[in-house]
């Protein structure tokens, strides 16, 4: 009986980790990638499509795995010719992608624990709300040419949040932020040139 439980436990652990994809500075795309190099690498799983941005804006980009909600990724470029990748974003509620052990729907307290430092972000409840601004040299800080980012949103049952909404900078140390423990709604990697 113990042998069977051990085998089931190992099989479950393998299945859980085997499908998770790690989003990083070098995967699924890397600094300097172009639409051409991404399409060559991912074939029919890389489709040029319209990407929706804040304030009702749109742009042309690449969607990886457009028919698979758990693997879907949106890629933006720094130029109209799509010769330099600008960012990679995971926006789906549930995703196989992880960023440093985090995934969408994880809570802010987990992100702060992984980061090992406070996290600054924009206030909530507007088009650019909840985007991280500073990881204060924590483990989520990234490098000179590759920065990690998260977007948080308040949970449906949020309370006493009037002082953490709008075009302001807020901290994970703020009492109202801690009390509401926002959820990750987006994970992204941005590239600098």
């Amino acid at each position: 009986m113990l042998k069977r439980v051990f085998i089931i436990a190992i099989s479950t652990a393998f299945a859980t980790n085997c499908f998770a994809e790690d989003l990083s500075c070098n995967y699924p795309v890397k600094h300097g990638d172009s639409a051409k190099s991404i399409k060559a690498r991912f074939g029919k799983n890389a489709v040029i499509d319209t990407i929706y941005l804040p304030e009702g804006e749109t742009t042309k980009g690449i969607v990886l795995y457009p028919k698979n909600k758990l693997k879907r990724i949106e890629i933006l470029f720094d130029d109209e010719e799509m010769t330099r990748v600008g960012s990679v974003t995971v926006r789906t509620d549930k995703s196989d992608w992880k960023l440093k052990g985090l995934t969408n729907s994880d809570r802010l307290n987990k992100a702060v624990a992984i980061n090992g430092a406070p996290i600054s972000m924009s206030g909530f409840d507007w088009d650019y709300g909840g985007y991280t601004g500073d990881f204060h040299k924590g483990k989520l800080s990234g490098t000179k040419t590759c920065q990690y980012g998260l977007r948080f949103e308040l949970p449906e049952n949020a309370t006493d949040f009037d002082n953490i909404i709008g075009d302001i900078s807020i901290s994970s140390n703020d009492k109202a932020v801690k009390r509401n423990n926002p959820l990750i709604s987006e994970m992204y990697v941005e590239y600098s040139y």
Side-chain angles (χ1 to χ4, degrees), residues 145-179:
T145 59
C146 173
Q147 299 81 40
Y148 299 119
L150 301 170
R151 185 177 194 186
F152 292 92
E153 64 181 39
L154 290 171
E156 289 182 20
N157 62 349
T159 60
D160 291 331
F161 54 83
D162 289 345
N163 64 337
I164 58 171
I165 60 173
D167 187 3
I168 59 173
S169 180
I170 59 177
S171 170
S172 58
N173 288 332
D174 183 289
K175 288 180 185 176
V177 174
K178 282 184 173 183
R179 180 175 48 257

Side-chain angles (χ1 to χ4, degrees), residues 11-192:
S11 299
T12 303
F14 177 74
T16 301
N17 293 328
C18 147
F19 297 109
E21 301 266 10
D22 289 324
L23 189 63
S24 74
C25 293
N26 297 311
Y27 188 78
V29 301
K30 61 186 181 299
H31 189 270
D33 259 340
S34 65
K36 185 177 179 179
S37 66
I38 293 167
K39 286 182 72 57
R41 201 161 50 248
F42 288 94
K44 65 181 180 178
N45 289 318
V47 176
I48 294 176
D49 202 352
T50 300
I51 308 290
Y52 294 90
L53 305 170
E55 297 184 341
E57 297 287 323
T58 61
T59 191
K60 184 172 65 170
I62 288 185
V63 176
L64 289 184
Y65 308 106
K67 295 179 181 177
N68 184 338
K69 187 177 178 184
L70 295 175
K71 291 185 79 162
R72 181 186 170 92
I73 285 190
E74 298 174 354
I75 302 169
L76 298 178
F77 295 86
D78 276 355
D79 58 343
E80 287 184 28
E81 295 79 25
M82 300 172 50
T83 61
R84 287 190 326 196
V85 68
S87 67
V88 177
T89 303
V90 177
R91 296 181 205 272
T92 57
D93 293 343
K94 295 193 188 276
S95 176
D96 284 343
W97 293 98
K98 292 192 176 291
L99 176 66
K100 300 280 187 176
L102 296 167
T103 193
N104 286 353
S105 299
D106 279 345
R107 297 293 192 130
L108 176 62
N109 61 349
K110 182 176 179 181
V112 170
I114 287 173
N115 190 45
I119 297 173
S120 296
M121 67 198 83
S122 57
F124 300 103
D125 204 24
W126 66 297
D127 282 357
Y128 293 97
Y131 282 106
T132 52
D134 194 346
F135 289 108
H136 301 281
K137 298 183 181 175
K139 292 178 182 171
L140 296 172
S141 292
T143 68
K144 198 180 239 186
T145 59
C146 173
Q147 299 81 40
Y148 299 119
L150 301 170
R151 185 177 194 186
F152 292 92
E153 64 181 39
L154 290 171
E156 289 182 20
N157 62 349
T159 60
D160 291 331
F161 54 83
D162 289 345
N163 64 337
I164 58 171
I165 60 173
D167 187 3
I168 59 173
S169 180
I170 59 177
S171 170
S172 58
N173 288 332
D174 183 289
K175 288 180 185 176
V177 174
K178 282 184 173 183
R179 180 175 48 257
N180 286 296
N181 201 18
L183 300 101
I184 297 173
S185 60
E186 293 179 22
M187 303 180 297
Y188 55 95
V189 177
E190 292 181 321
Y191 300 92
S192 302

